[in-house]
Structure formats: C-alpha cells, structure tokens
Amino acid sequence: MTTDGFTTCLWFDGQAEEAAHFYVSVFKNSTIGAIGRYNEAGPGPAGSVLAVEFTANGQKFVGINGGPQFTFSEAISFQIYCADQAEVDHYWTRLTANGGEPGPCGWLKDRYGVSWQVIPDGLIEMISDPDPEKATRTTKAMYAMGKLDVAALKKAYDGA
C-alpha cells in the first residue's frame, strides 16, 4: 500500500481480518494487502492478527484489532454513491446482511457497526435544488425512507 493520500484506520475488537474480507467481497476494485501479526511483545496473542491492509472500492483502509476500548458511531460514516436502484439495493442488502441494521434516510450500520450512507446519484442536487418546492418535496420523501427509493425520490422532485 502506498503512503500517498489518506488511509482510513478502522478499529476492531478481533474482527479486522474478517471485516476486510467482507468489504472486499462487497465492493468492486478491492483487494487484501499485508497482514501484520502480533509477536511475543503483545499485547495480543503472538501470531494473531494485529492489522490488515485492504482496498475497498479503490479506497485504502487498515483494520486494526485494538480491543474493546473503542467502538464505531454514526459520527463517522462512508458515503456510497450509486448509479441506479440496482446498485442501491446491492449495497443495502449486502451491508445490512447478517446483523447489519437499516437506518433512516439511506443510512445503515453493517454487522461490524460501521455506518454507511447509500445514496443514489443526483440526490444531493435534488435536495439542494434552487427551486425550494422541488428541494422540499424531495427532502420530505427522503426523510420518510430507510433504503432510498430512486423512483419515489424522482417522483417527489418532479411533483408527480
């Protein structure tokens, strides 16, 4: 992994490698990189995974098994911009599977507690349209949704 740009470090309690493999399975343009292991100096058991480098959707990450001291919150989330409803459905289904939690307005938590926003292309433009009626209708429609419905958002935007 190069040192150019930013790398997001995600703190796990023993699940870093499992999570990395999960994210690589969900996103295109994804790979597992180096896996570092604890040695006799600890603090984890010698040979267990300390950290795993991975790329998900072209973004660099490091998963670290730091222990139970810190957990994820909605204060940090990753936005996934989707070309169409099929992509929204794909990410929503995969990321909420096996213990993930759907949330409001396109937000969800995956099984590891990481927060994601699954957003169709064009939504930001619709809710910030200079026509306040279009923006308000679209925003109200979005607030009523969990997983975002592209057709319903477009219908609200159009006033249909």
Side-chain angles (χ1 to χ4, degrees):
M1 192 171 289
T2 69
T3 57
D4 294 335
F6 292 98
T7 299
T8 301
C9 183
L10 300 174
W11 181 291
F12 295 93
D13 183 14
Q15 304 158 311
E17 185 176 19
E18 174 187 319
H21 284 284
F22 172 67
Y23 297 133
V24 166
S25 78
V26 170
F27 295 98
K28 299 174 191 171
N29 192 22
S30 301
T31 58
I32 298 289
I35 299 175
R37 300 191 180 276
Y38 283 106
N39 57 39
E40 296 300 326
S48 66
V49 173
L50 165 62
V52 57
E53 294 178 336
F54 65 100
T55 301
N57 201 29
Q59 301 296 310
K60 299 179 293 186
F61 292 89
V62 171
I64 185 168
N65 283 325
Q69 298 90 330
F70 303 109
T71 58
F72 299 111
S73 84
E74 293 83 355
I76 300 289
S77 63
F78 296 99
Q79 295 180 328
I80 307 166
Y81 287 93
C82 301
D84 53 28
Q85 189 67 51
E87 239 186 340
V88 168
D89 294 346
H90 165 78
Y91 290 118
W92 190 270
T93 300
R94 292 294 310 277
L95 292 168
T96 58
N98 300 317
E101 301 172 16
C105 306
W107 288 60
L108 63 87
K109 280 188 185 179
D110 67 29
R111 67 181 98 172
Y112 304 102
V114 176
S115 292
W116 300 86
Q117 298 176 50
V118 183
I119 304 168
D121 286 341
L123 176 63
I124 302 305
E125 291 79 11
M126 288 190 288
I127 65 174
S128 59
D129 192 285
D131 180 333
E133 290 180 14
K134 287 181 172 185
T136 298
R137 285 192 309 263
T138 308
T139 302
K140 283 182 179 179
M142 179 190 68
Y143 285 157
M145 297 177 188
K147 178 177 71 171
L148 298 181
D149 179 328
V150 176
L153 290 166
K154 180 73 170 132
K155 185 175 180 180
Y157 179 79
D158 292 337

